[in-house]
Short mmCIF file of all heavy atoms in Angstrom, two decimals:
data_model
loop_
_atom_site.label_atom_id
_atom_site.label_comp_id
_atom_site.label_asym_id
_atom_site.label_seq_id
_atom_site.Cartn_x
_atom_site.Cartn_y
_atom_site.Cartn_z
N MET A 4 2.64 227.46 178.15
CA MET A 4 1.49 226.82 177.54
C MET A 4 1.86 225.48 176.94
O MET A 4 1.06 224.54 176.97
CB MET A 4 0.91 227.76 176.48
CG MET A 4 -0.41 227.36 175.96
SD MET A 4 -1.63 227.45 177.26
CE MET A 4 -3.09 227.24 176.36
N GLY A 5 3.07 225.40 176.38
CA GLY A 5 3.52 224.14 175.79
C GLY A 5 3.68 223.05 176.83
O GLY A 5 3.41 221.87 176.55
N LEU A 6 4.12 223.42 178.04
CA LEU A 6 4.26 222.42 179.09
C LEU A 6 2.92 221.86 179.52
O LEU A 6 2.77 220.66 179.77
CB LEU A 6 4.97 223.03 180.31
CG LEU A 6 6.44 223.39 180.13
CD1 LEU A 6 6.96 224.10 181.36
CD2 LEU A 6 7.25 222.17 179.82
N LEU A 7 1.92 222.71 179.57
CA LEU A 7 0.57 222.27 179.93
C LEU A 7 0.02 221.33 178.87
O LEU A 7 -0.55 220.27 179.19
CB LEU A 7 -0.36 223.47 180.10
CG LEU A 7 -1.81 223.16 180.45
CD1 LEU A 7 -1.89 222.48 181.82
CD2 LEU A 7 -2.64 224.42 180.43
N ALA A 8 0.20 221.69 177.61
CA ALA A 8 -0.28 220.84 176.52
C ALA A 8 0.43 219.50 176.52
O ALA A 8 -0.19 218.45 176.29
CB ALA A 8 -0.08 221.55 175.19
N ALA A 9 1.74 219.49 176.79
CA ALA A 9 2.49 218.25 176.83
C ALA A 9 2.02 217.37 177.99
O ALA A 9 1.89 216.15 177.84
CB ALA A 9 3.98 218.53 176.95
N GLY A 10 1.75 217.97 179.12
CA GLY A 10 1.26 217.21 180.26
C GLY A 10 -0.12 216.62 180.02
O GLY A 10 -0.38 215.46 180.35
N ILE A 11 -1.00 217.41 179.43
CA ILE A 11 -2.33 216.90 179.11
C ILE A 11 -2.24 215.79 178.06
O ILE A 11 -2.92 214.77 178.15
CB ILE A 11 -3.25 218.05 178.64
CG1 ILE A 11 -3.54 218.98 179.81
CG2 ILE A 11 -4.54 217.50 178.03
CD1 ILE A 11 -4.28 220.24 179.42
N GLY A 12 -1.38 215.99 177.07
CA GLY A 12 -1.21 214.97 176.03
C GLY A 12 -0.68 213.67 176.59
O GLY A 12 -1.15 212.58 176.22
N ALA A 13 0.29 213.74 177.49
CA ALA A 13 0.83 212.54 178.11
C ALA A 13 -0.24 211.82 178.93
O ALA A 13 -0.31 210.59 178.93
CB ALA A 13 2.04 212.89 178.99
N GLY A 14 -1.07 212.58 179.61
CA GLY A 14 -2.16 211.97 180.38
C GLY A 14 -3.18 211.28 179.48
O GLY A 14 -3.64 210.17 179.79
N ILE A 15 -3.51 211.91 178.37
CA ILE A 15 -4.46 211.30 177.44
C ILE A 15 -3.88 210.02 176.84
O ILE A 15 -4.59 209.02 176.69
CB ILE A 15 -4.85 212.31 176.35
CG1 ILE A 15 -5.69 213.43 176.95
CG2 ILE A 15 -5.60 211.63 175.20
CD1 ILE A 15 -5.97 214.58 176.01
N VAL A 16 -2.59 210.05 176.53
CA VAL A 16 -1.93 208.85 175.99
C VAL A 16 -2.00 207.71 177.00
O VAL A 16 -2.32 206.56 176.66
CB VAL A 16 -0.47 209.16 175.61
CG1 VAL A 16 0.33 207.89 175.39
CG2 VAL A 16 -0.42 210.03 174.37
N ALA A 17 -1.71 208.00 178.26
CA ALA A 17 -1.72 206.96 179.30
C ALA A 17 -3.13 206.41 179.51
O ALA A 17 -3.32 205.19 179.63
CB ALA A 17 -1.17 207.52 180.61
N VAL A 18 -4.12 207.28 179.54
CA VAL A 18 -5.49 206.83 179.73
C VAL A 18 -5.96 205.99 178.54
O VAL A 18 -6.58 204.93 178.71
CB VAL A 18 -6.44 208.03 179.96
CG1 VAL A 18 -7.89 207.62 179.87
CG2 VAL A 18 -6.15 208.67 181.30
N GLY A 19 -5.63 206.44 177.34
CA GLY A 19 -6.02 205.69 176.15
C GLY A 19 -5.40 204.30 176.11
O GLY A 19 -6.07 203.32 175.77
N ALA A 20 -4.12 204.22 176.45
CA ALA A 20 -3.45 202.92 176.47
C ALA A 20 -4.06 202.01 177.54
O ALA A 20 -4.27 200.82 177.31
CB ALA A 20 -1.96 203.10 176.71
N GLY A 21 -4.35 202.56 178.69
CA GLY A 21 -4.96 201.77 179.76
C GLY A 21 -6.33 201.23 179.38
O GLY A 21 -6.66 200.06 179.63
N ILE A 22 -7.13 202.07 178.75
CA ILE A 22 -8.46 201.63 178.31
C ILE A 22 -8.34 200.56 177.24
O ILE A 22 -9.04 199.55 177.27
CB ILE A 22 -9.29 202.83 177.81
CG1 ILE A 22 -9.65 203.75 178.97
CG2 ILE A 22 -10.54 202.37 177.07
CD1 ILE A 22 -10.30 205.05 178.56
N GLY A 23 -7.43 200.77 176.30
CA GLY A 23 -7.26 199.80 175.22
C GLY A 23 -6.81 198.44 175.72
O GLY A 23 -7.35 197.41 175.32
N ILE A 24 -5.83 198.42 176.60
CA ILE A 24 -5.34 197.15 177.13
C ILE A 24 -6.41 196.49 178.01
O ILE A 24 -6.56 195.27 178.01
CB ILE A 24 -4.01 197.35 177.87
CG1 ILE A 24 -2.94 197.73 176.85
CG2 ILE A 24 -3.61 196.10 178.65
CD1 ILE A 24 -1.61 198.08 177.44
N GLY A 25 -7.17 197.28 178.74
CA GLY A 25 -8.26 196.73 179.53
C GLY A 25 -9.32 196.07 178.67
O GLY A 25 -9.83 194.99 178.99
N MET A 26 -9.64 196.70 177.54
CA MET A 26 -10.62 196.11 176.63
C MET A 26 -10.09 194.82 176.01
O MET A 26 -10.85 193.86 175.81
CB MET A 26 -10.99 197.13 175.55
CG MET A 26 -11.79 198.31 176.08
SD MET A 26 -12.11 199.56 174.84
CE MET A 26 -13.22 198.69 173.76
N ILE A 27 -8.80 194.79 175.70
CA ILE A 27 -8.20 193.58 175.15
C ILE A 27 -8.28 192.45 176.18
O ILE A 27 -8.64 191.32 175.84
CB ILE A 27 -6.73 193.82 174.76
CG1 ILE A 27 -6.66 194.74 173.56
CG2 ILE A 27 -6.02 192.51 174.44
CD1 ILE A 27 -5.26 195.23 173.28
N GLY A 28 -7.94 192.74 177.42
CA GLY A 28 -7.99 191.73 178.46
C GLY A 28 -9.40 191.20 178.67
O GLY A 28 -9.62 190.00 178.84
N LYS A 29 -10.36 192.11 178.65
CA LYS A 29 -11.77 191.71 178.82
C LYS A 29 -12.20 190.79 177.69
O LYS A 29 -12.80 189.73 177.92
CB LYS A 29 -12.65 192.95 178.85
CG LYS A 29 -14.13 192.66 178.86
CD LYS A 29 -14.91 193.96 178.76
CE LYS A 29 -16.35 193.65 178.47
NZ LYS A 29 -16.78 194.12 177.17
N SER A 30 -11.89 191.18 176.47
CA SER A 30 -12.29 190.37 175.32
C SER A 30 -11.60 189.02 175.31
O SER A 30 -12.21 188.00 174.98
CB SER A 30 -11.99 191.11 174.02
OG SER A 30 -12.71 192.31 173.96
N ALA A 31 -10.32 189.00 175.66
CA ALA A 31 -9.58 187.74 175.68
C ALA A 31 -10.12 186.81 176.76
O ALA A 31 -10.26 185.60 176.53
CB ALA A 31 -8.09 188.00 175.91
N THR A 32 -10.46 187.36 177.91
CA THR A 32 -11.01 186.53 178.98
C THR A 32 -12.35 185.93 178.57
O THR A 32 -12.61 184.74 178.79
CB THR A 32 -11.18 187.37 180.26
OG1 THR A 32 -9.92 187.93 180.62
CG2 THR A 32 -11.70 186.53 181.40
N GLU A 33 -13.19 186.73 177.94
CA GLU A 33 -14.48 186.23 177.48
C GLU A 33 -14.29 185.16 176.40
O GLU A 33 -15.00 184.15 176.38
CB GLU A 33 -15.33 187.37 176.93
CG GLU A 33 -15.85 188.31 177.99
CD GLU A 33 -16.60 189.49 177.40
OE1 GLU A 33 -16.65 189.62 176.16
OE2 GLU A 33 -17.13 190.29 178.20
N SER A 34 -13.34 185.39 175.51
CA SER A 34 -13.10 184.43 174.43
C SER A 34 -12.58 183.10 174.97
O SER A 34 -12.99 182.03 174.51
CB SER A 34 -12.11 185.00 173.43
OG SER A 34 -12.61 186.18 172.85
N ILE A 35 -11.68 183.16 175.93
CA ILE A 35 -11.14 181.94 176.52
C ILE A 35 -12.24 181.20 177.30
O ILE A 35 -12.29 179.97 177.28
CB ILE A 35 -9.92 182.25 177.41
CG1 ILE A 35 -8.75 182.70 176.53
CG2 ILE A 35 -9.52 181.05 178.25
CD1 ILE A 35 -7.56 183.23 177.30
N ALA A 36 -13.13 181.93 177.94
CA ALA A 36 -14.22 181.29 178.67
C ALA A 36 -15.17 180.57 177.72
O ALA A 36 -15.71 179.51 178.05
CB ALA A 36 -14.99 182.33 179.48
N ARG A 37 -15.36 181.12 176.53
CA ARG A 37 -16.27 180.50 175.56
C ARG A 37 -15.62 179.34 174.81
O ARG A 37 -16.30 178.40 174.40
CB ARG A 37 -16.75 181.53 174.54
CG ARG A 37 -17.65 182.56 175.15
CD ARG A 37 -18.06 183.58 174.13
NE ARG A 37 -18.78 184.65 174.83
CZ ARG A 37 -19.61 185.46 174.22
NH1 ARG A 37 -19.83 185.33 172.93
NH2 ARG A 37 -20.22 186.39 174.89
N GLN A 38 -14.29 179.44 174.59
CA GLN A 38 -13.60 178.42 173.81
C GLN A 38 -12.24 178.13 174.45
O GLN A 38 -11.21 178.62 173.99
CB GLN A 38 -13.44 178.90 172.37
CG GLN A 38 -13.11 177.83 171.40
CD GLN A 38 -13.21 178.32 169.98
OE1 GLN A 38 -13.37 179.51 169.72
NE2 GLN A 38 -13.11 177.40 169.05
N PRO A 39 -12.22 177.34 175.51
CA PRO A 39 -10.98 177.11 176.26
C PRO A 39 -9.88 176.44 175.45
O PRO A 39 -8.70 176.66 175.72
CB PRO A 39 -11.41 176.20 177.41
CG PRO A 39 -12.89 176.27 177.46
CD PRO A 39 -13.35 176.67 176.12
N GLU A 40 -10.22 175.65 174.44
CA GLU A 40 -9.19 174.96 173.67
C GLU A 40 -8.37 175.91 172.80
O GLU A 40 -7.28 175.56 172.34
CB GLU A 40 -9.80 173.85 172.81
CG GLU A 40 -10.76 174.32 171.74
CD GLU A 40 -12.19 174.45 172.22
OE1 GLU A 40 -12.47 174.26 173.42
OE2 GLU A 40 -13.05 174.78 171.38
N ALA A 41 -8.85 177.12 172.58
CA ALA A 41 -8.12 178.10 171.78
C ALA A 41 -7.39 179.12 172.65
O ALA A 41 -6.99 180.17 172.17
CB ALA A 41 -9.08 178.82 170.85
N SER A 42 -7.18 178.78 173.91
CA SER A 42 -6.61 179.77 174.84
C SER A 42 -5.19 180.19 174.44
O SER A 42 -4.82 181.35 174.61
CB SER A 42 -6.62 179.24 176.27
OG SER A 42 -5.79 178.11 176.38
N GLY A 43 -4.40 179.28 173.91
CA GLY A 43 -3.04 179.63 173.51
C GLY A 43 -3.01 180.65 172.39
O GLY A 43 -2.24 181.62 172.44
N ASP A 44 -3.83 180.45 171.38
CA ASP A 44 -3.89 181.39 170.26
C ASP A 44 -4.43 182.75 170.71
O ASP A 44 -3.92 183.80 170.31
CB ASP A 44 -4.78 180.85 169.14
CG ASP A 44 -4.19 179.61 168.48
OD1 ASP A 44 -2.96 179.45 168.54
OD2 ASP A 44 -4.97 178.82 167.92
N ILE A 45 -5.45 182.72 171.54
CA ILE A 45 -6.06 183.96 172.02
C ILE A 45 -5.06 184.73 172.88
O ILE A 45 -4.92 185.95 172.74
CB ILE A 45 -7.35 183.66 172.81
CG1 ILE A 45 -8.40 183.07 171.87
CG2 ILE A 45 -7.88 184.92 173.49
CD1 ILE A 45 -9.61 182.50 172.57
N ARG A 46 -4.36 184.02 173.75
CA ARG A 46 -3.38 184.67 174.63
C ARG A 46 -2.25 185.31 173.81
O ARG A 46 -1.81 186.43 174.09
CB ARG A 46 -2.81 183.66 175.62
CG ARG A 46 -1.97 184.31 176.69
CD ARG A 46 -1.49 183.30 177.74
NE ARG A 46 -2.64 182.69 178.41
CZ ARG A 46 -2.91 181.38 178.38
NH1 ARG A 46 -2.14 180.55 177.72
NH2 ARG A 46 -3.95 180.91 179.03
N GLY A 47 -1.78 184.60 172.79
CA GLY A 47 -0.72 185.14 171.94
C GLY A 47 -1.16 186.40 171.21
O GLY A 47 -0.42 187.38 171.13
N ALA A 48 -2.38 186.37 170.66
CA ALA A 48 -2.90 187.55 169.97
C ALA A 48 -3.08 188.71 170.94
O ALA A 48 -2.83 189.87 170.59
CB ALA A 48 -4.22 187.21 169.28
N MET A 49 -3.51 188.39 172.17
CA MET A 49 -3.71 189.44 173.18
C MET A 49 -2.38 190.11 173.52
O MET A 49 -2.29 191.34 173.60
CB MET A 49 -4.35 188.85 174.43
CG MET A 49 -4.55 189.86 175.54
SD MET A 49 -5.10 189.14 177.09
CE MET A 49 -3.64 188.30 177.63
N ILE A 50 -1.35 189.30 173.73
CA ILE A 50 -0.04 189.86 174.10
C ILE A 50 0.52 190.71 172.96
O ILE A 50 1.07 191.80 173.19
CB ILE A 50 0.92 188.74 174.51
CG1 ILE A 50 0.46 188.13 175.83
CG2 ILE A 50 2.35 189.24 174.61
CD1 ILE A 50 1.21 186.88 176.23
N LEU A 51 0.39 190.23 171.73
CA LEU A 51 0.88 191.00 170.58
C LEU A 51 0.15 192.33 170.46
O LEU A 51 0.77 193.38 170.26
CB LEU A 51 0.70 190.18 169.31
CG LEU A 51 1.13 190.87 168.02
CD1 LEU A 51 2.62 191.14 168.03
CD2 LEU A 51 0.74 190.04 166.83
N THR A 52 -1.16 192.32 170.59
CA THR A 52 -1.94 193.54 170.48
C THR A 52 -1.62 194.51 171.61
O THR A 52 -1.50 195.72 171.40
CB THR A 52 -3.44 193.23 170.47
OG1 THR A 52 -3.69 192.24 169.47
CG2 THR A 52 -4.25 194.46 170.18
N ALA A 53 -1.45 193.99 172.83
CA ALA A 53 -1.10 194.85 173.96
C ALA A 53 0.28 195.48 173.75
O ALA A 53 0.48 196.66 174.08
CB ALA A 53 -1.13 194.06 175.25
N ALA A 54 1.21 194.73 173.18
CA ALA A 54 2.53 195.28 172.91
C ALA A 54 2.47 196.39 171.87
O ALA A 54 3.17 197.41 171.99
CB ALA A 54 3.47 194.16 172.44
N LEU A 55 1.63 196.22 170.86
CA LEU A 55 1.48 197.28 169.85
C LEU A 55 0.87 198.54 170.46
O LEU A 55 1.29 199.66 170.14
CB LEU A 55 0.63 196.77 168.68
CG LEU A 55 1.29 195.69 167.82
CD1 LEU A 55 0.28 195.16 166.80
CD2 LEU A 55 2.51 196.23 167.12
N ILE A 56 -0.10 198.37 171.33
CA ILE A 56 -0.70 199.53 172.00
C ILE A 56 0.33 200.23 172.87
O ILE A 56 0.41 201.47 172.89
CB ILE A 56 -1.93 199.11 172.82
CG1 ILE A 56 -3.07 198.74 171.89
CG2 ILE A 56 -2.38 200.23 173.76
CD1 ILE A 56 -4.29 198.20 172.59
N GLU A 57 1.13 199.46 173.60
CA GLU A 57 2.17 200.06 174.44
C GLU A 57 3.19 200.81 173.59
O GLU A 57 3.70 201.86 174.00
CB GLU A 57 2.87 198.98 175.27
CG GLU A 57 2.05 198.51 176.44
CD GLU A 57 1.84 199.58 177.48
OE1 GLU A 57 2.74 200.42 177.70
OE2 GLU A 57 0.75 199.59 178.07
N GLY A 58 3.50 200.28 172.41
CA GLY A 58 4.43 200.97 171.51
C GLY A 58 3.90 202.32 171.07
O GLY A 58 4.62 203.32 171.07
N VAL A 59 2.64 202.35 170.70
CA VAL A 59 2.02 203.62 170.29
C VAL A 59 1.97 204.59 171.47
O VAL A 59 2.22 205.80 171.31
CB VAL A 59 0.61 203.36 169.71
CG1 VAL A 59 -0.14 204.65 169.50
CG2 VAL A 59 0.73 202.59 168.42
N ALA A 60 1.68 204.08 172.66
CA ALA A 60 1.64 204.94 173.85
C ALA A 60 3.02 205.50 174.16
O ALA A 60 3.16 206.67 174.55
CB ALA A 60 1.10 204.17 175.05
N LEU A 61 4.05 204.69 173.98
CA LEU A 61 5.42 205.17 174.21
C LEU A 61 5.79 206.27 173.22
O LEU A 61 6.39 207.28 173.61
CB LEU A 61 6.40 204.00 174.12
CG LEU A 61 7.86 204.33 174.34
CD1 LEU A 61 8.07 204.85 175.76
CD2 LEU A 61 8.73 203.12 174.09
N ILE A 62 5.43 206.08 171.97
CA ILE A 62 5.71 207.12 170.97
C ILE A 62 4.98 208.40 171.32
O ILE A 62 5.53 209.50 171.23
CB ILE A 62 5.32 206.63 169.56
CG1 ILE A 62 6.29 205.53 169.11
CG2 ILE A 62 5.32 207.78 168.56
CD1 ILE A 62 5.88 204.84 167.85
N GLY A 63 3.72 208.28 171.76
CA GLY A 63 2.96 209.47 172.16
C GLY A 63 3.59 210.17 173.34
O GLY A 63 3.67 211.41 173.38
N ALA A 64 4.08 209.41 174.32
CA ALA A 64 4.72 210.01 175.48
C ALA A 64 6.02 210.70 175.08
O ALA A 64 6.34 211.79 175.58
CB ALA A 64 4.99 208.95 176.54
N ILE A 65 6.77 210.11 174.17
CA ILE A 65 8.02 210.73 173.71
C ILE A 65 7.73 212.03 172.98
O ILE A 65 8.45 213.02 173.16
CB ILE A 65 8.82 209.74 172.84
CG1 ILE A 65 9.37 208.61 173.71
CG2 ILE A 65 9.94 210.44 172.09
CD1 ILE A 65 10.01 207.48 172.94
N VAL A 66 6.70 212.03 172.16
CA VAL A 66 6.33 213.26 171.46
C VAL A 66 5.95 214.35 172.46
O VAL A 66 6.36 215.51 172.31
CB VAL A 66 5.17 213.00 170.46
CG1 VAL A 66 4.56 214.29 169.97
CG2 VAL A 66 5.66 212.16 169.31
N CYS A 67 5.24 213.99 173.51
CA CYS A 67 4.87 214.97 174.54
C CYS A 67 6.11 215.50 175.26
O CYS A 67 6.20 216.70 175.54
CB CYS A 67 3.91 214.35 175.54
SG CYS A 67 2.28 214.06 174.85
N ILE A 68 7.07 214.63 175.55
CA ILE A 68 8.31 215.07 176.20
C ILE A 68 9.08 216.02 175.28
O ILE A 68 9.60 217.05 175.71
CB ILE A 68 9.17 213.85 176.60
CG1 ILE A 68 8.49 213.11 177.75
CG2 ILE A 68 10.58 214.29 176.98
CD1 ILE A 68 9.14 211.77 178.07
N LEU A 69 9.15 215.68 173.99
CA LEU A 69 9.85 216.54 173.04
C LEU A 69 9.16 217.90 172.92
O LEU A 69 9.84 218.95 172.81
CB LEU A 69 9.93 215.87 171.67
CG LEU A 69 10.87 214.66 171.58
CD1 LEU A 69 10.76 214.02 170.21
CD2 LEU A 69 12.29 215.06 171.90
N LEU A 70 7.83 217.92 172.96
CA LEU A 70 7.11 219.20 172.94
C LEU A 70 7.41 220.02 174.19
O LEU A 70 7.56 221.24 174.13
CB LEU A 70 5.61 218.96 172.81
CG LEU A 70 5.10 218.53 171.45
CD1 LEU A 70 3.62 218.19 171.53
CD2 LEU A 70 5.34 219.61 170.42
N ALA A 71 7.48 219.34 175.33
CA ALA A 71 7.73 220.05 176.59
C ALA A 71 9.14 220.63 176.60
O ALA A 71 9.37 221.72 177.14
CB ALA A 71 7.55 219.11 177.77
N LEU A 72 10.10 219.92 176.01
CA LEU A 72 11.48 220.39 176.01
C LEU A 72 11.74 221.40 174.89
O LEU A 72 12.77 222.05 174.87
CB LEU A 72 12.44 219.22 175.85
CG LEU A 72 12.42 218.21 177.01
CD1 LEU A 72 13.34 217.05 176.70
CD2 LEU A 72 12.83 218.87 178.30
N GLY A 73 10.81 221.49 173.95
CA GLY A 73 10.96 222.45 172.87
C GLY A 73 11.97 222.03 171.82
O GLY A 73 12.60 222.86 171.17
N VAL A 74 12.11 220.73 171.63
CA VAL A 74 13.10 220.23 170.65
C VAL A 74 12.49 220.21 169.28
O VAL A 74 11.39 219.95 169.02
CB VAL A 74 13.57 218.81 171.03
CG1 VAL A 74 14.50 218.23 169.99
CG2 VAL A 74 14.25 218.87 172.39
#
């Protein structure tokens, strides 16, 4: 049962991270289209936010692996 829960948890983490990064990309693209002169600042904020989301997703995946291994 623990392996099933870990697998489902890892899938939810991956889907959540994908949705979050997709929303960031969408918002950044719209923002750059509306205000092209601020593209550098927007791009930097987008990359930083995407990195933070990836970090949280990595921690979630590690927790799922630890649950699956029973550590």
Side-chain angles (χ1 to χ4, degrees):
M4 191 65 169
L6 292 175
L7 179 64
I11 292 172
I15 291 171
V16 166
V18 168
I22 291 172
I24 292 175
M26 291 175 68
I27 291 169
K29 173 186 168 246
S30 298
T32 303
E33 289 176 356
S34 299
I35 291 171
R37 292 178 187 202
Q38 197 170 9
E40 63 273 4
S42 64
D44 294 335
I45 294 169
R46 189 176 299 119
M49 178 187 71
I50 291 172
L51 178 64
T52 308
L55 291 173
I56 289 175
E57 284 294 325
V59 170
L61 180 63
I62 290 171
I65 289 172
V66 167
C67 289
I68 289 171
L69 290 175
L70 286 174
L72 296 176
V74 176

